[in-house]
mmCIF file of all heavy atoms in Angstrom:
data_model
loop_
_atom_site.group_PDB
_atom_site.id
_atom_site.type_symbol
_atom_site.label_atom_id
_atom_site.label_comp_id
_atom_site.label_asym_id
_atom_site.label_seq_id
_atom_site.Cartn_x
_atom_site.Cartn_y
_atom_site.Cartn_z
ATOM 1 N N ILE A 54 28.345 30.901 -14.132
ATOM 2 C CA ILE A 54 29.393 30.072 -14.729
ATOM 3 C C ILE A 54 29.312 30.248 -16.237
ATOM 4 O O ILE A 54 28.228 30.192 -16.816
ATOM 5 C CB ILE A 54 29.209 28.581 -14.368
ATOM 6 C CG1 ILE A 54 29.252 28.389 -12.853
ATOM 7 C CG2 ILE A 54 30.258 27.719 -15.044
ATOM 8 C CD1 ILE A 54 28.880 26.990 -12.409
ATOM 9 N N GLY A 55 30.433 30.461 -16.870
ATOM 10 C CA GLY A 55 30.473 30.667 -18.313
ATOM 11 C C GLY A 55 30.023 29.442 -19.090
ATOM 12 O O GLY A 55 30.191 28.300 -18.641
ATOM 13 N N ASP A 56 29.439 29.671 -20.265
ATOM 14 C CA ASP A 56 28.926 28.571 -21.097
ATOM 15 C C ASP A 56 29.995 27.550 -21.449
ATOM 16 O O ASP A 56 29.715 26.356 -21.567
ATOM 17 C CB ASP A 56 28.324 29.135 -22.396
ATOM 18 C CG ASP A 56 27.033 29.900 -22.142
ATOM 19 O OD1 ASP A 56 26.483 29.779 -21.031
ATOM 20 O OD2 ASP A 56 26.584 30.629 -23.051
ATOM 21 N N THR A 57 31.230 28.023 -21.669
ATOM 22 C CA THR A 57 32.298 27.128 -22.108
ATOM 23 C C THR A 57 32.999 26.416 -20.953
ATOM 24 O O THR A 57 33.809 25.525 -21.180
ATOM 25 C CB THR A 57 33.340 27.907 -22.925
ATOM 26 O OG1 THR A 57 33.876 28.970 -22.116
ATOM 27 C CG2 THR A 57 32.714 28.484 -24.188
ATOM 28 N N ASP A 58 32.676 26.786 -19.737
ATOM 29 C CA ASP A 58 33.282 26.153 -18.562
ATOM 30 C C ASP A 58 32.482 24.897 -18.211
ATOM 31 O O ASP A 58 31.354 24.977 -17.735
ATOM 32 C CB ASP A 58 33.279 27.133 -17.379
ATOM 33 C CG ASP A 58 33.947 26.558 -16.140
ATOM 34 O OD1 ASP A 58 34.327 25.363 -16.159
ATOM 35 O OD2 ASP A 58 34.106 27.301 -15.155
ATOM 36 N N THR A 59 33.073 23.742 -18.470
ATOM 37 C CA THR A 59 32.374 22.469 -18.219
ATOM 38 C C THR A 59 32.845 21.788 -16.930
ATOM 39 O O THR A 59 32.449 20.656 -16.652
ATOM 40 C CB THR A 59 32.587 21.511 -19.398
ATOM 41 O OG1 THR A 59 34.003 21.275 -19.564
ATOM 42 C CG2 THR A 59 32.018 22.099 -20.691
ATOM 43 N N THR A 60 33.662 22.490 -16.167
ATOM 44 C CA THR A 60 34.253 21.912 -14.953
ATOM 45 C C THR A 60 33.207 21.402 -13.974
ATOM 46 O O THR A 60 33.385 20.363 -13.333
ATOM 47 C CB THR A 60 35.128 22.958 -14.233
ATOM 48 O OG1 THR A 60 36.036 23.528 -15.170
ATOM 49 C CG2 THR A 60 35.899 22.325 -13.089
ATOM 50 N N HIS A 61 32.123 22.130 -13.849
ATOM 51 C CA HIS A 61 31.120 21.818 -12.822
ATOM 52 C C HIS A 61 29.863 21.147 -13.376
ATOM 53 O O HIS A 61 28.878 20.994 -12.641
ATOM 54 C CB HIS A 61 30.715 23.114 -12.110
ATOM 55 C CG HIS A 61 31.857 23.876 -11.539
ATOM 56 N ND1 HIS A 61 32.539 23.476 -10.415
ATOM 57 C CD2 HIS A 61 32.453 25.030 -11.960
ATOM 58 C CE1 HIS A 61 33.493 24.349 -10.141
ATOM 59 N NE2 HIS A 61 33.468 25.295 -11.068
ATOM 60 N N ASP A 62 29.885 20.744 -14.642
ATOM 61 C CA ASP A 62 28.666 20.240 -15.275
ATOM 62 C C ASP A 62 28.052 19.046 -14.541
ATOM 63 O O ASP A 62 26.833 19.015 -14.283
ATOM 64 C CB ASP A 62 28.924 19.861 -16.736
ATOM 65 C CG ASP A 62 29.031 21.088 -17.635
ATOM 66 O OD1 ASP A 62 29.033 22.219 -17.103
ATOM 67 O OD2 ASP A 62 29.119 20.909 -18.862
ATOM 68 N N ASP A 63 28.856 18.049 -14.206
ATOM 69 C CA ASP A 63 28.320 16.861 -13.532
ATOM 70 C C ASP A 63 27.741 17.223 -12.165
ATOM 71 O O ASP A 63 26.669 16.736 -11.780
ATOM 72 C CB ASP A 63 29.406 15.796 -13.369
ATOM 73 C CG ASP A 63 29.782 15.128 -14.693
ATOM 74 O OD1 ASP A 63 28.981 15.228 -15.649
ATOM 75 O OD2 ASP A 63 30.859 14.515 -14.762
ATOM 76 N N HIS A 64 28.454 18.087 -11.449
ATOM 77 C CA HIS A 64 27.984 18.512 -10.139
ATOM 78 C C HIS A 64 26.672 19.291 -10.255
ATOM 79 O O HIS A 64 25.739 19.074 -9.463
ATOM 80 C CB HIS A 64 29.047 19.377 -9.462
ATOM 81 C CG HIS A 64 28.674 19.849 -8.096
ATOM 82 N ND1 HIS A 64 28.298 18.994 -7.086
ATOM 83 C CD2 HIS A 64 28.596 21.094 -7.565
ATOM 84 C CE1 HIS A 64 28.018 19.682 -5.997
ATOM 85 N NE2 HIS A 64 28.184 20.963 -6.266
ATOM 86 N N LEU A 65 26.568 20.148 -11.260
ATOM 87 C CA LEU A 65 25.344 20.925 -11.454
ATOM 88 C C LEU A 65 24.166 20.031 -11.825
ATOM 89 O O LEU A 65 23.039 20.271 -11.370
ATOM 90 C CB LEU A 65 25.561 21.991 -12.534
ATOM 91 C CG LEU A 65 26.384 23.208 -12.113
ATOM 92 C CD1 LEU A 65 26.662 24.094 -13.313
ATOM 93 C CD2 LEU A 65 25.659 23.995 -11.026
ATOM 94 N N ARG A 66 24.416 19.006 -12.633
ATOM 95 C CA ARG A 66 23.325 18.080 -12.972
ATOM 96 C C ARG A 66 22.808 17.393 -11.713
ATOM 97 O O ARG A 66 21.593 17.213 -11.551
ATOM 98 C CB ARG A 66 23.797 17.040 -13.988
ATOM 99 C CG ARG A 66 23.984 17.581 -15.398
ATOM 100 C CD ARG A 66 24.232 16.460 -16.397
ATOM 101 N NE ARG A 66 24.572 16.991 -17.706
ATOM 102 C CZ ARG A 66 25.804 17.177 -18.151
ATOM 103 N NH1 ARG A 66 26.846 16.870 -17.372
ATOM 104 N NH2 ARG A 66 26.027 17.673 -19.353
ATOM 105 N N ARG A 67 23.713 16.993 -10.834
ATOM 106 C CA ARG A 67 23.284 16.374 -9.572
ATOM 107 C C ARG A 67 22.485 17.364 -8.730
ATOM 108 O O ARG A 67 21.463 17.014 -8.125
ATOM 109 C CB ARG A 67 24.496 15.867 -8.794
ATOM 110 C CG ARG A 67 25.118 14.604 -9.351
ATOM 111 C CD ARG A 67 26.087 13.972 -8.372
ATOM 112 N NE ARG A 67 27.204 14.840 -8.042
ATOM 113 C CZ ARG A 67 28.339 14.920 -8.729
ATOM 114 N NH1 ARG A 67 28.503 14.165 -9.814
ATOM 115 N NH2 ARG A 67 29.313 15.725 -8.359
ATOM 116 N N LEU A 68 22.942 18.609 -8.688
ATOM 117 C CA LEU A 68 22.229 19.636 -7.928
ATOM 118 C C LEU A 68 20.841 19.896 -8.508
ATOM 119 O O LEU A 68 19.874 20.097 -7.760
ATOM 120 C CB LEU A 68 23.034 20.934 -7.897
ATOM 121 C CG LEU A 68 24.306 20.943 -7.044
ATOM 122 C CD1 LEU A 68 25.010 22.301 -7.156
ATOM 123 C CD2 LEU A 68 23.988 20.634 -5.585
ATOM 124 N N ILE A 69 20.739 19.881 -9.833
ATOM 125 C CA ILE A 69 19.438 20.080 -10.487
ATOM 126 C C ILE A 69 18.485 18.945 -10.110
ATOM 127 O O ILE A 69 17.321 19.187 -9.763
ATOM 128 C CB ILE A 69 19.579 20.177 -12.017
ATOM 129 C CG1 ILE A 69 20.303 21.471 -12.409
ATOM 130 C CG2 ILE A 69 18.209 20.098 -12.696
ATOM 131 C CD1 ILE A 69 20.697 21.535 -13.874
ATOM 132 N N ARG A 70 18.974 17.710 -10.166
ATOM 133 C CA ARG A 70 18.118 16.562 -9.812
ATOM 134 C C ARG A 70 17.683 16.633 -8.357
ATOM 135 O O ARG A 70 16.520 16.377 -8.030
ATOM 136 C CB ARG A 70 18.853 15.253 -10.099
ATOM 137 C CG ARG A 70 19.059 14.963 -11.579
ATOM 138 C CD ARG A 70 19.604 13.565 -11.821
ATOM 139 N NE ARG A 70 19.896 13.361 -13.220
ATOM 140 C CZ ARG A 70 21.097 13.503 -13.772
ATOM 141 N NH1 ARG A 70 22.121 13.853 -13.022
ATOM 142 N NH2 ARG A 70 21.273 13.313 -15.064
ATOM 143 N N THR A 71 18.619 16.975 -7.482
ATOM 144 C CA THR A 71 18.291 17.069 -6.056
ATOM 145 C C THR A 71 17.298 18.198 -5.800
ATOM 146 O O THR A 71 16.317 18.028 -5.055
ATOM 147 C CB THR A 71 19.567 17.304 -5.226
ATOM 148 O OG1 THR A 71 20.472 16.215 -5.443
ATOM 149 C CG2 THR A 71 19.246 17.397 -3.744
ATOM 150 N N ALA A 72 17.541 19.354 -6.411
ATOM 151 C CA ALA A 72 16.646 20.500 -6.228
ATOM 152 C C ALA A 72 15.260 20.204 -6.785
ATOM 153 O O ALA A 72 14.246 20.591 -6.198
ATOM 154 C CB ALA A 72 17.233 21.742 -6.896
ATOM 155 N N THR A 73 15.204 19.512 -7.910
ATOM 156 C CA THR A 73 13.919 19.136 -8.504
ATOM 157 C C THR A 73 13.161 18.194 -7.575
ATOM 158 O O THR A 73 11.955 18.361 -7.343
ATOM 159 C CB THR A 73 14.118 18.473 -9.875
ATOM 160 O OG1 THR A 73 14.798 19.389 -10.751
ATOM 161 C CG2 THR A 73 12.783 18.073 -10.498
ATOM 162 N N SER A 74 13.870 17.208 -7.044
ATOM 163 C CA SER A 74 13.249 16.270 -6.103
ATOM 164 C C SER A 74 12.725 16.996 -4.872
ATOM 165 O O SER A 74 11.604 16.738 -4.415
ATOM 166 C CB SER A 74 14.274 15.203 -5.691
ATOM 167 O OG SER A 74 13.721 14.309 -4.764
ATOM 168 N N ASP A 75 13.510 17.927 -4.342
ATOM 169 C CA ASP A 75 13.076 18.706 -3.181
ATOM 170 C C ASP A 75 11.845 19.548 -3.510
ATOM 171 O O ASP A 75 10.899 19.625 -2.723
ATOM 172 C CB ASP A 75 14.205 19.623 -2.699
ATOM 173 C CG ASP A 75 15.332 18.851 -2.028
ATOM 174 O OD1 ASP A 75 15.127 17.672 -1.679
ATOM 175 O OD2 ASP A 75 16.419 19.426 -1.859
ATOM 176 N N ALA A 76 11.874 20.181 -4.679
ATOM 177 C CA ALA A 76 10.755 21.033 -5.085
ATOM 178 C C ALA A 76 9.486 20.203 -5.277
ATOM 179 O O ALA A 76 8.400 20.601 -4.854
ATOM 180 C CB ALA A 76 11.097 21.779 -6.377
ATOM 181 N N GLU A 77 9.615 19.035 -5.916
ATOM 182 C CA GLU A 77 8.440 18.180 -6.133
ATOM 183 C C GLU A 77 7.878 17.663 -4.809
ATOM 184 O O GLU A 77 6.667 17.636 -4.608
ATOM 185 C CB GLU A 77 8.812 17.004 -7.040
ATOM 186 C CG GLU A 77 9.026 17.398 -8.486
ATOM 187 C CD GLU A 77 9.295 16.224 -9.377
ATOM 188 O OE1 GLU A 77 9.974 15.269 -8.935
ATOM 189 O OE2 GLU A 77 8.843 16.239 -10.534
ATOM 190 N N ARG A 78 8.773 17.237 -3.935
ATOM 191 C CA ARG A 78 8.310 16.691 -2.655
ATOM 192 C C ARG A 78 7.624 17.773 -1.814
ATOM 193 O O ARG A 78 6.562 17.540 -1.224
ATOM 194 C CB ARG A 78 9.498 16.099 -1.890
ATOM 195 C CG ARG A 78 9.121 15.431 -0.576
ATOM 196 C CD ARG A 78 10.291 14.711 0.069
ATOM 197 N NE ARG A 78 11.431 15.575 0.284
ATOM 198 C CZ ARG A 78 12.539 15.577 -0.440
ATOM 199 N NH1 ARG A 78 12.658 14.746 -1.464
ATOM 200 N NH2 ARG A 78 13.535 16.395 -0.182
ATOM 201 N N HIS A 79 8.203 18.968 -1.779
ATOM 202 C CA HIS A 79 7.653 20.020 -0.927
ATOM 203 C C HIS A 79 6.365 20.621 -1.503
ATOM 204 O O HIS A 79 5.440 20.945 -0.768
ATOM 205 C CB HIS A 79 8.689 21.124 -0.703
ATOM 206 C CG HIS A 79 8.352 22.014 0.443
ATOM 207 N ND1 HIS A 79 8.702 21.733 1.748
ATOM 208 C CD2 HIS A 79 7.674 23.182 0.493
ATOM 209 C CE1 HIS A 79 8.257 22.683 2.545
ATOM 210 N NE2 HIS A 79 7.625 23.578 1.805
ATOM 211 N N THR A 80 6.317 20.775 -2.819
ATOM 212 C CA THR A 80 5.119 21.348 -3.437
ATOM 213 C C THR A 80 4.067 20.284 -3.736
ATOM 214 O O THR A 80 2.945 20.609 -4.112
ATOM 215 C CB THR A 80 5.454 22.088 -4.748
ATOM 216 O OG1 THR A 80 5.964 21.158 -5.712
ATOM 217 C CG2 THR A 80 6.473 23.190 -4.506
ATOM 218 N N ARG A 81 4.458 19.002 -3.610
ATOM 219 C CA ARG A 81 3.557 17.866 -3.848
ATOM 220 C C ARG A 81 3.069 17.817 -5.292
ATOM 221 O O ARG A 81 1.900 17.552 -5.563
ATOM 222 C CB ARG A 81 2.373 17.897 -2.878
ATOM 223 C CG ARG A 81 2.777 17.969 -1.429
ATOM 224 C CD ARG A 81 1.582 18.179 -0.531
ATOM 225 N NE ARG A 81 2.017 18.461 0.830
ATOM 226 C CZ ARG A 81 1.423 19.323 1.639
ATOM 227 N NH1 ARG A 81 0.367 19.987 1.237
ATOM 228 N NH2 ARG A 81 1.891 19.520 2.857
ATOM 229 N N ARG A 82 3.979 18.099 -6.193
ATOM 230 C CA ARG A 82 3.640 18.100 -7.619
ATOM 231 C C ARG A 82 4.655 17.285 -8.407
ATOM 232 O O ARG A 82 5.737 16.978 -7.925
ATOM 233 C CB ARG A 82 3.604 19.531 -8.162
ATOM 234 C CG ARG A 82 2.514 20.391 -7.560
ATOM 235 C CD ARG A 82 2.516 21.773 -8.178
ATOM 236 N NE ARG A 82 1.571 22.651 -7.523
ATOM 237 C CZ ARG A 82 0.294 22.784 -7.872
ATOM 238 N NH1 ARG A 82 -0.180 22.079 -8.872
ATOM 239 N NH2 ARG A 82 -0.505 23.625 -7.227
ATOM 240 N N SER A 83 4.287 16.964 -9.658
ATOM 241 C CA SER A 83 5.197 16.353 -10.616
ATOM 242 C C SER A 83 5.537 17.422 -11.646
ATOM 243 O O SER A 83 4.638 18.078 -12.164
ATOM 244 C CB SER A 83 4.540 15.158 -11.315
ATOM 245 O OG SER A 83 4.171 14.169 -10.379
ATOM 246 N N LEU A 84 6.802 17.607 -11.933
ATOM 247 C CA LEU A 84 7.192 18.642 -12.889
ATOM 248 C C LEU A 84 7.343 18.072 -14.296
ATOM 249 O O LEU A 84 6.553 18.379 -15.180
ATOM 250 C CB LEU A 84 8.475 19.325 -12.410
ATOM 251 C CG LEU A 84 8.370 20.009 -11.031
ATOM 252 C CD1 LEU A 84 9.663 20.734 -10.682
ATOM 253 C CD2 LEU A 84 7.183 20.956 -10.967
ATOM 254 N N ILE A 85 8.354 17.230 -14.513
ATOM 255 C CA ILE A 85 8.527 16.576 -15.808
ATOM 256 C C ILE A 85 7.708 15.285 -15.825
ATOM 257 O O ILE A 85 7.544 14.616 -14.799
ATOM 258 C CB ILE A 85 10.018 16.259 -16.054
ATOM 259 C CG1 ILE A 85 10.828 17.562 -16.166
ATOM 260 C CG2 ILE A 85 10.212 15.426 -17.314
ATOM 261 C CD1 ILE A 85 10.521 18.404 -17.385
ATOM 262 N N THR A 86 7.173 14.911 -16.985
ATOM 263 C CA THR A 86 6.336 13.723 -17.150
ATOM 264 C C THR A 86 6.938 12.494 -16.467
ATOM 265 O O THR A 86 8.114 12.178 -16.676
ATOM 266 C CB THR A 86 6.126 13.432 -18.648
ATOM 267 O OG1 THR A 86 5.455 14.548 -19.252
ATOM 268 C CG2 THR A 86 5.285 12.176 -18.848
ATOM 269 N N GLN A 87 6.130 11.815 -15.656
ATOM 270 C CA GLN A 87 6.548 10.635 -14.902
ATOM 271 C C GLN A 87 5.317 9.784 -14.626
ATOM 272 O O GLN A 87 4.179 10.264 -14.730
ATOM 273 C CB GLN A 87 7.229 11.045 -13.603
ATOM 274 C CG GLN A 87 6.442 12.040 -12.778
ATOM 275 C CD GLN A 87 7.289 12.806 -11.785
ATOM 276 O OE1 GLN A 87 7.410 12.385 -10.643
ATOM 277 N NE2 GLN A 87 7.873 13.918 -12.216
ATOM 278 N N THR A 88 5.545 8.521 -14.285
ATOM 279 C CA THR A 88 4.435 7.605 -14.049
ATOM 280 C C THR A 88 4.427 7.142 -12.594
ATOM 281 O O THR A 88 5.465 6.783 -12.045
ATOM 282 C CB THR A 88 4.527 6.378 -14.978
ATOM 283 O OG1 THR A 88 4.555 6.822 -16.336
ATOM 284 C CG2 THR A 88 3.331 5.449 -14.789
#
Side-chain angles (χ1 to χ4, degrees):
I54 300 172
D56 290 347
T57 58
D58 182 355
T59 59
T60 309
H61 305 287
D62 284 7
D63 288 342
H64 181 55
L65 285 173
R66 287 189 187 95
R67 286 194 299 273
L68 289 178
I69 292 170
R70 291 188 185 97
T71 301
T73 301
S74 178
D75 288 345
E77 288 184 323
R78 183 173 56 255
H79 196 86
T80 64
R81 306 173 189 142
R82 295 182 186 271
S83 300
L84 300 184
I85 295 293
T86 299
Q87 51 201 268
T88 303

